[in-house]
Amino acid sequence: MLNMDRLRTLSAVARHGSVRAAAEGLHVTTSAVSQQLAKLERETGQQLLAKNGRGVRLTDAGRLLAGHAARILSQVELAEAELEAHRGQAVGELRMGAFPTAARGLFPDALAALVVDHPQLRARLWEMEPGDSVRAVVRGDIDLGVVLDWYNRPLSLPEGLAKAPLLDDPADVAMPSDHRLAGRRTVELEDFAEDAWISWPQGEFCHDWLMFTLRSKGIEPRIAHMAEEHGTQLALIARGLGVAVAPRLGRGPVPEGVSVVPVRHPMRRHVYAIWRADADRRPSIRAAVAALREVGGGMAT
């Protein structure tokens, strides 16, 4: 009899294209992936992987079984969702991904509420960028992702996903306290055309948004530093090293030496949950969305 965990491992290798990427997607070690595949080869009596340069490729038998595995796993997921819906309780494991400020600003309270309200649900969280969450949900590596887009730059979602809004997250401009605009009630991005910017790392969704937005206003941004964590960005600003867009979600205390000023024409990030549409009836999905909305509603500005 074919083992479901080993079929899931083979399917992950087929989707991701390598043992290492499959291990990352499954949140296990490469050794664990290799062991599962070796056992699957013994069970089937077929060679499923062949060396391909420094990596591996699926053999004809591997591709054949991977195709069946994808269909089997999809049916199993649908059956689990329907059984969970029939039972009417949030139970089992729920794997979730969220971008860092949502992980910090929403999930501690939401996860704590799930522990109290749904003690049979094992909710697990991984930090990941919005694009990575979308891909992980589509592949089945996670069950629910919390992602964002900006008021002027939507995040592209593939077909087959359901979504639910959680909150709108306003963003201000953070600057050194001795900046010429620090005493203003509101500012515009154009006011900072000559300033050095502190941005998210290149390739991240929010970095691409910042470049797009500044350039749409005729500003060619001068990026002085890049930092993923907002706390790091604010620490750099406190030393007079630039200005930054500072969303409010998960911001935490503003350090001494930093002033945060609202933007006259508000900039907002739309934060929402996504999941596969075929899992729409799962009570665990609905419970997580409700908990996240409850926390987000308390932050609405």
Side-chain angles (χ1 to χ4, degrees), residues 99 101-102 106 146-152 163-172 246-251 266-273 292-293 295-301:
F99 60 95
T101 50
L106 290 176
V146 172
V147 299
L148 66 91
D149 56 27
W150 287 87
Y151 68 102
N152 60 342
K163 62 184 288 188
L166 301 178
L167 76 155
D168 279 356
D169 178 30
D172 307 311
R248 297 179 191 175
L249 176 62
R251 181 191 292 170
M267 303 182 296
R268 293 181 181 272
R269 304 192 300 179
H270 308 302
V271 181
Y272 50 95
L292 289 163
R293 276 182 159 171
V295 176
M299 301 177 175
T301 304

Side-chain angles (χ1 to χ4, degrees), residues 176 195-202 207 210-211 221-229 232-245:
D195 284 271
W197 285 87
I198 297 170
S199 171
W200 297 269
Q202 195 167 8
H207 172 87
L210 181 63
M211 300 298 99
R222 181 164 57 91
I223 305 298
H225 306 284
M226 295 184 184
E228 185 169 3
E229 287 293 328
T232 305
Q233 294 180 5
L234 294 176
L236 293 169
I237 293 168
R239 301 298 293 169
L241 298 173
V243 301
V245 169

